[in-house]
Amino acid sequence: MAINPANGEIICLATNTPQGTNVRQAIGKPQAPGSTFKTAQALTLLSEGIVTPETTVECNNGITDGSIKVGCHKHRSPLNLKDALAQSCNTWFILNFGSMINDEFVYDSKESAVTTWRSYMQSMGLGGPMHIDIKGEEGGLLAGADYLNRRYKDGWDGKTIWWAGMGQGDVTCTPLQLCNLAVTIANRGWYYIPHIHKDTKNQRYLTKRHTKVKPEAYPPVVEGMRLAVEQGTAMGIKTSYSICGKTGTVENPGEDHSVFIAFAPQNNPKIAICVYVEHGGFGADLAAPMGGLVIEQYLKGKLSENSESRAKRIAAKVIK
């Protein structure tokens, strides 16, 4: 899926299943967003003053706390926020997210903390239907206090919901919502409700929506996404023009899902994209290369010879 950040128009929406195309895959099937969600987490944590761009966290292949173990791939340590986005460090995000939920100095209770967190996410267009002009849209899940109290009857805290910090667990989004998340970052804090009808007169799609995120939170997140393409998890699509992206690998039974969100160019962005490939493996393996090709085709008007070859190799892949 691709959206024009300047006006919210859906540039393309392509889906494929064993049964053929199905728009529900993009707008009506909420699933875990994986590490693409770390961009929204970073914006929230920065806005709430839980972290600064210089906040560092040690990570040694993940973290173990009692019976809880969350793994992470190998990378240098410690990492600050920009590097944590670029390297997609699970430890950085789950620990800082957990710290926000458990912060009894800033918030009256864990319920108050998670309600605040949820309000930021909703302001970025996550968790609920956006009311686009295509039938079949569904929302998703952003765990609120009531939901958590019902699910964890023996009690819960920031550690109980650690996984939401890295886009797993009690959070689901549609590819549409993730594409719009990329739009909000591309625009540094605003978006129009996505729509397919050009030159619409419907004020729903002509009203600018603003996120709760503080303006100063956007530059380090944008830089972290740029760093991801320059020397991080998405460096396989590094180009002469400035793509800002975030990979995601969604854990589930069977092969993981491959996810990528991005926008380009870094300044005055013309396109924001989301690629979600069920059972596609690591985000860097399939979703990111596909996203890079979509961006190149749109910005350049055609694919280079090397990119054409890459597109053919991707098209020939068999996903089980």
Side-chain angles (χ1 to χ4, degrees):
M1 170 172 277
I3 296 173
N4 181 345
N7 57 21
E9 290 180 356
I10 296 175
I11 299 168
C12 73
L13 195 168
T15 64
N16 191 25
T17 75
Q19 292 73 42
T21 61
N22 184 350
V23 71
R24 182 176 180 272
Q25 294 292 114
I27 70 170
K29 189 178 180 182
Q31 299 193 78
S35 293
T36 60
F37 195 67
K38 291 172 180 173
T39 56
Q41 290 285 32
L43 292 167
T44 300
L45 294 167
L46 285 165
S47 296
E48 284 293 287
I50 305 299
V51 301
T52 71
E54 290 72 40
T55 297
T56 59
V57 171
E58 293 278 353
C59 177
N60 297 301
N61 299 325
I63 183 171
T64 300
D65 190 312
S67 61
I68 301 175
K69 178 174 175 58
V70 181
C72 193
H73 59 276
K74 289 185 178 181
H75 56 70
R76 60 185 176 81
S77 179
L79 298 178
N80 61 21
L81 182 145
K82 288 183 287 187
D83 289 327
L85 281 170
Q87 301 301 325
S88 200
C89 176
N90 290 336
T91 305
W92 197 100
F93 285 94
I94 64 172
L95 287 182
N96 285 310
F97 171 62
S99 294
M100 176 181 176
I101 303 305
N102 288 340
D103 196 324
E104 297 179 350
F105 178 77
V106 175
Y107 309 101
D108 294 334
S109 64
K110 62 182 183 293
E111 286 86 0
S112 175
V114 82
T115 298
T116 299
W117 167 82
R118 191 168 184 263
S119 69
Y120 276 95
M121 298 300 163
Q122 290 174 319
S123 79
M124 291 182 248
L126 302 172
M130 301 182 70
H131 304 292
I132 65 172
D133 54 351
I134 307 175
K135 293 181 179 180
E137 184 189 3
E138 291 188 16
L141 172 65
L142 288 174
D146 290 343
Y147 169 91
L148 294 170
N149 288 333
R150 289 195 306 271
R151 178 172 183 187
Y152 302 105
K153 297 185 184 301
D154 295 330
W156 60 275
D157 61 11
K159 190 185 299 183
T160 311
I161 57 174
W162 259 359
W163 287 267
M166 60 182 196
Q168 299 274 169
D170 299 305
V171 57
T172 62
C173 307
T174 62
L176 165 69
Q177 292 167 11
L178 293 177
C179 191
N180 190 69
L181 171 61
V183 168
T184 70
I185 302 172
N187 289 335
R188 280 63 164 179
W190 60 269
Y191 68 98
Y192 292 104
I193 292 178
H195 52 280
I196 60 172
H197 291 94
K198 291 188 175 184
D199 303 319
T200 178
K201 300 296 188 286
N202 189 328
Q203 286 302 307
R204 176 189 296 278
Y205 308 111
L206 300 175
T207 302
K208 188 179 289 189
R209 268 77 176 175
H210 294 272
T211 72
K212 276 189 64 175
V213 176
K214 292 183 177 178
E216 59 268 27
Y218 282 101
V221 171
V222 170
E223 291 171 21
M225 294 176 71
R226 179 70 186 130
L227 200 61
V229 176
E230 284 289 300
Q231 51 186 265
T233 57
M235 66 184 300
I237 66 166
K238 184 177 179 180
T239 65
S240 59
Y241 49 91
S242 53
I243 299 175
C244 298
K246 182 72 193 76
T247 58
T249 303
V250 179
E251 299 174 7
N252 62 279
E255 194 73 22
D256 293 337
H257 299 333
S258 179
V259 195
F260 184 61
I261 65 171
F263 63 88
Q266 178 174 351
N267 298 312
N268 300 313
K270 301 294 189 297
I271 183 173
I273 63 107
C274 172
V275 178
Y276 201 113
V277 185
E278 294 184 7
H279 312 296
F282 293 113
D285 289 347
L286 198 53
M290 291 174 68
L293 293 172
V294 172
I295 292 172
E296 180 181 345
Q297 177 69 44
Y298 187 73
L299 293 182
K300 299 292 187 179
K302 64 178 182 178
L303 297 179
S304 68
E305 189 173 321
N306 286 339
S307 293
E308 287 280 6
S309 297
R310 174 180 286 183
K312 290 178 181 178
R313 290 195 299 272
I314 290 174
K317 283 184 177 289
V318 177
I319 300 174
K320 299 180 180 180

